[in-house]
Amino acid sequence: MNVFHSFQEIKGISHSVVALGTFDGVHRGHRKVMEKAMAIGRQKGCLTAVVTFAAHPLSILAPEHEPLRLATVAQKTCYIEEIGIDALVLLPMNRQLIDESPDDFCRQLIQYIQPSAIVVGANFTYGSKAAGNTETLRAFMSRYDIPVHALSLLERPGKASPISSTAIRKLVCMGHMETAALLLGRPFEVEGIVVKGDRRGRTIGFPTANMLLPPHMAMPPDGVYATRIRVDGTWHRAMTNIGDNPTFSNQYRRIETNVFDWQGCLYGKTVSLRFYKRIRGEERFDTTQELIEQMDEDKRKTLIYFSHK
């Protein structure tokens, strides 16, 4: 997949079908838009491109109110590539883009891509103060005979409400990992570099790979989770604790993962961690032995969970 970081960089994707949106988290509703664009592209015999944004507008307008992210830019790029998209235009979020009028944004689509069709979700907005919507997009593109397909939002299973990044963010922050995965279309995932910890885990039989909490990402609440960790391209079963380890003093909030059936040094490696189910909340234990017994029980429950997957 070719990746461009501005309209001016674009080359080789003229007349592609464009999937247009914010696509925070690349959830099942976003996949619906991209897969529709790919289907139209196959019919027309042309490429499919995603035009999206590197960050939320509030990251510039009011950083203190920016929603927690469901994916880093690198993850977002990877998820879009996995769908089968040919090209990604990842526009940097800056003041110039925020102040751009809906018509100016559309003119750039015409100038640099000349799309053969555009696919968006029904709630798509764009341009300064979100003044553009699906109707203004249709009206502008009709001058150039470019069809705009505005898809109805994908409904949540068993709910009379659409799948949304807001709903998924709330589920993740409440620890409802299985429901979040259902809406995302995959387990919630974080990436990070393994750092050195206290090395206490290996002394009690549970060595851990430690990660710092990624900045401004939605994170599950403190507790123990059934997880899988990807090391050098291979996924391993694991259990993960998020929290400040209150049984011991002078701790800080972090992610600690005990990898099952694996040995080796992970320091400095970039790993991915998928969250499948919350096993329990974080607890403080009076003795190290009580902690060990609980971790044995946590591992037992985690292995039972994976035995049914």
Side-chain angles (χ1 to χ4, degrees):
M1 180 178 73
N2 292 319
V3 180
F4 307 102
H5 295 93
S6 70
F7 280 121
Q8 291 74 20
E9 287 182 15
I10 293 173
K11 59 181 179 180
I13 62 169
S14 292
H15 304 290
S16 12
V17 178
V18 170
L20 184 57
T22 303
F23 303 138
D24 177 27
V26 195
H27 58 59
R28 287 177 56 207
H30 300 150
R31 288 182 65 99
K32 176 183 175 183
V33 171
M34 296 180 203
E35 288 168 354
K36 176 66 173 179
M38 290 171 63
I40 296 172
R42 286 191 294 269
Q43 292 171 359
K44 292 178 174 287
C46 59
L47 300 177
T48 305
V50 165
V51 176
T52 187
F53 311 100
H56 194 281
L58 286 176
S59 65
I60 302 297
L61 295 173
E64 68 278 11
H65 297 303
E66 180 191 1
L68 295 172
R69 296 167 189 157
L70 291 172
T72 63
V73 171
Q75 286 177 296
K76 183 174 182 174
T77 301
C78 182
Y79 297 150
I80 291 172
E81 183 172 25
E82 287 173 351
I83 293 169
I85 296 296
D86 298 301
L88 170 63
V89 182
L90 191 62
L91 300 174
M93 187 55 64
N94 53 38
R95 194 77 220 192
Q96 180 181 350
L97 180 62
I98 288 172
D99 290 340
E100 198 169 62
S101 72
D103 280 2
D104 283 343
F105 182 79
C106 288
R107 288 188 188 100
Q108 292 194 80
L109 284 173
I110 298 293
Q111 179 180 353
Y112 293 104
I113 301 180
Q114 297 175 290
S116 60
I118 296 174
V119 185
V120 294
N123 62 345
F124 177 67
T125 59
Y126 62 101
S128 177
K129 299 181 180 178
N133 54 36
T134 57
E135 292 307 311
T136 62
L137 185 63
R138 274 201 180 102
F140 190 98
M141 293 299 164
S142 67
R143 305 176 205 168
Y144 301 87
D145 295 322
I146 297 172
V148 173
H149 304 264
L151 305 189
S152 59
L153 302 183
L154 192 63
E155 293 290 317
R156 291 180 59 178
K159 298 270 188 178
S161 60
I163 293 175
S164 69
S165 297
T166 299
I168 296 169
R169 194 176 294 113
K170 183 176 180 180
L171 289 166
V172 169
C173 292
M174 293 175 66
H176 299 322
M177 309 315 298
E178 292 173 298
T179 308
L182 181 65
L183 304 192
L184 279 169
R186 64 179 182 278
F188 176 73
E189 183 176 341
V190 297
E191 289 185 341
I193 298 174
V194 177
V195 299
K196 290 187 177 181
D198 300 323
R199 301 189 180 184
R200 185 183 292 108
R202 67 184 66 249
T203 69
I204 62 174
F206 290 93
T208 59
N210 298 286
M211 296 165 56
L212 301 179
L213 296 170
H216 210 73
M217 281 281 289
M219 285 298 298
D222 292 355
V224 176
Y225 295 82
T227 57
R228 280 193 172 99
I229 186 170
R230 184 174 62 190
V231 180
D232 296 332
T234 301
W235 289 98
H236 303 271
R237 296 176 303 171
M239 67 178 182
T240 295
N241 183 77
I242 299 177
D244 58 10
N245 210 335
T247 300
F248 304 100
S249 58
N250 300 318
Q251 300 298 297
Y252 57 93
R253 192 165 185 251
R254 59 193 167 193
I255 305 169
E256 300 174 288
T257 299
N258 175 239
V259 188
F260 301 160
D261 305 320
W262 189 88
Q263 291 183 338
C265 180
L266 292 177
Y267 294 145
K269 286 184 178 291
T270 298
V271 298
S272 297
L273 190 63
R274 287 179 174 173
F275 289 82
Y276 288 84
K277 182 179 176 62
R278 192 175 195 222
I279 302 299
R280 63 172 174 86
E282 187 167 57
E283 301 176 38
R284 182 186 183 282
F285 298 94
D286 293 330
T287 66
T288 302
Q289 183 57 37
E290 287 180 3
L291 172 61
I292 293 172
E293 291 172 359
Q294 181 60 59
M295 292 180 73
D296 281 331
E297 177 64 10
D298 295 338
K299 183 173 183 178
R300 186 186 71 82
K301 290 181 177 179
T302 299
L303 288 172
I304 289 173
Y305 173 81
F306 283 127
S307 72
H308 295 98
K309 290 292 177 182

